[in-house]
Amino acid sequence: MQWRALVLGLVLLRLGLHGVLWLVFGLGPSMGFYQRFPLSFGFQRLRAPDGPVSPALGSAGPSGPSWLQPPVPGAAAGRRRAPRRPGPGMCGPAHWGYVLGGRGRGPDEYEKRYSGAFPPQLRAQMRDLARGMFVFGYDNYMAHAFPQDELNPIHCRGRGPDRGDPSNLNINDVLGNYSLTLVDALDTLAIMGNSSEFQKAVKLVINTVSFDKDSTVQVFEATIRVLGSLLSAHRIITDSKQPFGDMTIKDYDNELLHMAHDLAVRLLPAFENTKTGIPYPRVNLKTGVPPDSNNETCTAGAGSLLVEFGILSRLLGDSTFEWVARRAVKALWNLRSNDTGLLGNVVNIQTGHWVGKQSGLGAGLDSFYEYLLKSYILFGEKEDLEMFNAAYRSIQNYLRRGREACNEGEGDPPLYVNVNMFSGQLMNTWIDSLQAFFPGLQVLIGDVEDAICLHAFYYAIWKRYGALPERYNWQLQAPDVLFYPLRPELVESTYLLYQATKNPFYLHVGMDILQSLEKYTKVKCGYATLHHVIDKSKEDRMESFFLSETCKYLYLLFDEENPVHKSGTKYMFTTEGHIVSVDKHLRESPWKEFFSEDGGQDQEGKSVPRPKSPELKVINSSSNCNRVPDERRYSLPLKSIYMRQIDQMVGLI
């Protein structure tokens, strides 16, 4: 009996010690410890005052956690009402000395672990690991899958459209029987300096890829993955400076641009016969819009075509493509709520009725906001910036919950939630992995402080699972949707935050991501989707964006000497990670008079005739454009508070 009493005593002692640590280190209710750890995500289990969260989340009373609370009337007006640009008074040394824990505490284990200089040898090792990751995936695709669209990396074979099940949209929306992975990876080959393989791949695309296929694809996916890559590769080939090495193609006659034009023409029927000007979500590349086509589309899918269509129009001197894409953006913009300024995530293209009233930063809306800003950066149209600024104000006023400042003050740290577009009331308690792009977008507008805060939240989730679940429930502290398809959004934000801050912390983040991908997703013939981020079971699919984006951003994060950073040319990445040089010729628009305010319809609702297309003419230039966002850098000394914050988030201390 004595040994049983001894065991029971030891168990009780251990439980007691865990309880003390739970309270002392802020992993449970805050107990006022926000002052000690300014950015302390404890992932405490949040509940509304009367119990578990319900669909009527907005009714939570004043005593509930701030993420569950609706914005306080009048408080939104005091919040940031427009994107802040970097300036002398913002995030200065004194401010960051306080925020990052400069209160007399000396170096500790976190600072030793994360804030030391990232050794050049380690950086080169990580760069080579990222390159090797791309090469392993690309070579296996070419060996086992080409000319099919994707690689099944577990069984080492190719995948194309699911002809047997047209309703399998997860596959058929993306795969068009046009060697998708090869096309999508072209500019990654160039950025990594592999001129011989780039030239070989371009010739393969020219000689083997055709869009005259009986394939029904999603307009959005075909645009960002295929059209965008063809335009990016064309610009790389015709760049007179050739910053990535000799990427020219002997006897090149603008074939990639002609292919882009051919594909875009096949996508144009999506914009016809819609009463709003918002395009149908899908087209058949041979026959146009299917007879049984869905009249509902997501905001991001319909409103994120302007960058690629605009580039094509300006290279060809043909306004048609930019005109239809811009008309769709304006049509969606005009449907926003009069009260909140927010948009929903699903709309009926014939009636303009919002079918999905959820407003957030993730799936269904993400790239719509992204392309408002990036369209302005590329084309210089002021109305794009005005729309973005107005959208950003609404996001700050209605989606941003938690305390006012990211790194100081009491209350829950800031988080962007999903709300009803008309009322601003909380609709659910999950966020999705696509939202991890938003810190990178905030970097582009100079809102670096909030970007750092939101990025830390997503990195904390990555640290917990070694991947980013498709949906994470911040109230239940658990994934709602468990798969991870090798998405790039967190890597993209990590790369852009490093470029903005030059903080070695983000190199450590990139190393963590690289090592997780190698450990959990590498299989016999490539890298596989994680079916379950907890048990690490896999699905036999490697989506094309893994090579186009994930590997590219990881490589650039560690390749400080890359021409992207050193050539003097201004670059921007599309939502699929395709690189585009920003130059003055893309800001020349001789057809502004055709972009009418009514979205392309007259007062009787009849379509305004599109301008006639002139003969194909190509504008090649690598000139720099001076009208680009402010380039001031943040050089932030990393203090121990940052890794303390991360470890608190994932419960490591």
Side-chain angles (χ1 to χ4, degrees):
M1 295 298 293
Q2 289 183 345
W3 68 270
R4 292 181 179 177
L6 179 61
V7 169
L8 179 60
L10 289 173
V11 170
L12 291 173
L13 177 61
R14 183 172 182 179
L15 289 173
L17 288 172
H18 275 291
V20 170
L21 289 172
W22 184 268
L23 291 173
V24 169
F25 288 104
L27 296 177
S30 65
M31 302 294 289
F33 289 124
Y34 284 115
Q35 295 305 315
R36 178 170 174 80
F37 303 128
L39 186 53
S40 120
F41 288 85
F43 279 151
Q44 52 261 49
R45 191 177 296 273
L46 302 177
R47 296 187 183 279
D50 297 325
V53 109
S54 69
L57 290 170
S59 62
S63 61
S66 59
W67 290 348
L68 295 173
Q69 302 304 313
V72 178
R79 202 173 275 161
R80 184 180 309 106
R81 298 199 57 82
R84 294 182 297 179
R85 297 170 66 87
M90 180 180 171
C91 300
H95 171 77
W96 282 108
Y98 171 79
V99 168
L100 299 177
R103 300 175 183 169
R105 292 194 295 271
D108 61 11
E109 59 179 306
Y110 300 101
E111 188 164 1
K112 292 176 183 177
R113 180 181 173 191
Y114 285 95
S115 67
F118 204 85
Q121 298 87 348
L122 181 59
R123 188 170 188 151
Q125 181 184 345
M126 292 300 104
R127 179 200 62 207
D128 293 343
L129 181 60
R131 181 195 285 118
M133 181 178 289
F134 171 84
V135 170
F136 185 69
Y138 177 84
D139 285 352
N140 274 287
Y141 165 77
M142 295 303 297
H144 301 291
F146 177 80
Q148 296 192 71
D149 287 306
E150 284 182 351
L151 169 68
N152 290 352
I154 295 176
H155 289 97
C156 304
R157 56 174 178 248
R159 178 200 296 266
D162 187 351
R163 302 297 191 191
D165 183 10
S167 66
N168 185 2
L169 300 181
N170 184 46
I171 297 297
N172 293 329
D173 271 358
V174 178
L175 309 189
N177 194 21
Y178 37 42
S179 302
L180 174 64
T181 296
L182 175 63
V183 175
D184 213 0
L186 289 177
D187 66 311
T188 307
L189 288 167
I191 286 173
M192 291 186 178
N194 192 341
S195 58
S196 60
E197 191 61 35
F198 174 79
Q199 292 162 345
K200 176 183 175 182
V202 168
K203 291 175 183 176
L204 270 176
V205 169
I206 292 172
N207 294 329
T208 67
V209 173
S210 168
F211 301 121
D212 189 25
K213 299 288 178 67
D214 185 18
S215 298
T216 298
V217 296
Q218 192 183 88
V219 175
F220 171 72
E221 295 290 357
T223 297
I224 66 170
R225 299 199 196 203
V226 183
L227 181 62
S229 185
L230 293 172
L231 293 170
S232 176
H234 168 74
R235 299 270 286 173
I236 289 170
I237 294 168
T238 56
D239 186 346
S240 62
K241 295 182 179 179
Q242 290 296 300
F244 302 108
D246 184 8
M247 301 293 163
T248 58
I249 306 294
K250 185 179 180 181
D251 299 323
Y252 180 69
D253 191 25
N254 302 312
E255 287 91 344
L256 295 185
L257 182 60
H258 284 278
M259 292 178 70
H261 183 226
D262 176 44
L263 175 59
V265 168
R266 294 173 186 273
L267 298 177
L268 280 180
F271 297 86
E272 299 173 359
N273 301 315
T274 78
K275 295 178 181 178
T276 61
I278 301 170
Y280 286 92
R282 297 171 185 87
V283 295
N284 183 285
L285 296 177
K286 263 187 178 292
T287 62
V289 177
D292 58 348
S293 184
N294 189 357
N295 283 328
E296 297 174 1
T297 189
C298 72
T299 303
S304 304
L305 310 172
L306 184 52
V307 165
E308 289 82 4
F309 275 47
I311 293 172
L312 181 63
S313 275
R314 293 172 190 237
L315 291 179
L316 298 177
D318 177 357
S319 65
T320 303
F321 307 101
E322 182 174 348
W323 187 82
V324 295
R326 192 171 289 280
R327 181 181 62 172
V329 171
K330 289 181 179 179
L332 288 164
W333 184 249
N334 290 335
L335 294 174
R336 69 193 186 281
S337 168
N338 291 328
D339 296 322
T340 65
L342 298 172
L343 293 86
N345 59 347
V346 180
V347 67
N348 185 297
I349 66 172
Q350 302 296 351
T351 67
H353 174 71
W354 288 106
V355 180
K357 299 177 179 62
Q358 177 176 299
S359 191
L361 298 179
L365 275 158
D366 50 352
S367 55
F368 176 80
Y369 299 125
E370 178 185 3
Y371 269 21
L372 289 179
L373 179 62
K374 289 185 175 179
S375 295
Y376 170 71
I377 293 172
L378 272 183
F379 308 133
E381 303 289 348
K382 290 184 179 179
E383 65 177 345
D384 295 334
L385 182 61
E386 290 168 356
M387 285 188 286
F388 176 80
N389 283 340
Y392 196 78
R393 285 194 294 270
S394 294
I395 289 168
Q396 294 297 318
N397 289 343
Y398 293 98
L399 272 59
R400 189 183 189 273
R401 302 292 172 87
R403 61 180 177 240
E404 184 71 19
C406 175
N407 295 304
E408 59 188 345
E410 296 186 4
D412 297 302
L415 183 70
Y416 292 86
V417 299
N418 299 318
V419 304
N420 182 287
M421 64 171 290
F422 295 109
S423 66
Q425 297 295 307
L426 192 64
M427 289 192 69
N428 50 57
T429 58
W430 53 258
I431 47 156
D432 66 51
S433 64
L434 291 171
Q435 185 182 324
F437 92 98
F438 197 66
L441 191 65
Q442 290 181 305
V443 167
L444 294 184
I445 60 171
D447 203 350
V448 177
E449 182 179 343
D450 264 19
I452 289 170
C453 194
L454 186 59
H455 174 274
F457 180 85
Y458 277 95
Y459 177 47
I461 300 173
W462 184 283
K463 288 280 285 183
R464 179 178 286 182
Y465 301 106
L468 212 55
E470 192 71 353
R471 284 185 185 174
Y472 184 84
N473 191 306
W474 46 261
Q475 190 202 25
L476 301 178
Q477 308 172 39
D480 275 352
V481 180
L482 288 152
F483 71 90
Y484 169 65
L486 308 174
R487 289 201 188 278
E489 283 76 16
L490 179 61
V491 185
E492 176 187 8
S493 289
T494 302
Y495 164 64
L496 291 171
L497 270 165
Y498 179 71
Q499 290 301 311
T501 66
K502 297 303 180 184
N503 195 321
F505 168 70
Y506 297 105
L507 299 177
H508 287 280
V509 173
M511 183 167 66
D512 278 351
I513 294 173
L514 261 173
Q515 292 172 341
S516 295
L517 291 171
E518 282 289 317
K519 181 177 181 180
Y520 299 124
T521 71
K522 191 173 185 178
V523 292
K524 181 179 179 181
C525 292
Y527 295 83
T529 292
L530 286 183
H531 175 72
H532 197 293
V533 297
I534 298 175
D535 67 23
K536 303 300 187 291
S537 56
K538 299 172 181 66
E539 296 180 14
D540 197 9
R541 187 178 187 186
M542 186 179 81
E543 291 222 38
S544 67
F545 54 65
F546 177 69
L547 300 183
S548 172
E549 299 184 80
T550 308
C551 292
K552 178 186 294 164
Y553 287 128
L554 283 168
Y555 180 79
L556 286 172
L557 174 64
F558 295 107
D559 189 18
E560 185 71 10
E561 300 304 313
N562 194 278
V564 172
H565 310 133
K566 297 293 186 179
S567 69
T569 299
K570 312 298 182 186
Y571 290 106
M572 190 193 78
F573 294 93
T574 70
T575 195
E576 183 70 9
H578 297 306
I579 195 165
V580 180
S581 59
V582 182
D583 65 55
K584 63 183 180 181
H585 288 291
L586 288 181
R587 292 194 162 208
E588 294 175 354
S589 172
W591 48 72
K592 287 186 180 181
E593 63 272 18
F594 295 114
F595 300 150
S596 59
E597 290 299 325
D598 59 8
Q601 295 179 342
D602 61 21
Q603 293 180 353
E604 298 178 358
K606 298 178 181 178
S607 296
V608 177
R610 286 194 298 269
K612 293 182 179 180
S613 303
E615 293 183 2
L616 180 68
K617 56 182 180 180
V618 185
I619 303 172
N620 295 325
S621 174
S622 59
S623 301
N624 291 340
C625 176
N626 295 323
R627 297 168 59 195
V628 294
D630 197 316
E631 285 191 303
R632 297 189 184 98
R633 300 287 189 226
Y634 288 81
S635 297
L636 309 181
L638 182 69
K639 299 295 184 181
S640 61
I641 189 66
Y642 269 114
M643 277 321 298
R644 192 184 299 278
Q645 142 210 336
I646 296 297
D647 282 358
Q648 279 187 284
M649 290 183 194
V650 297
L652 297 180
I653 60 174

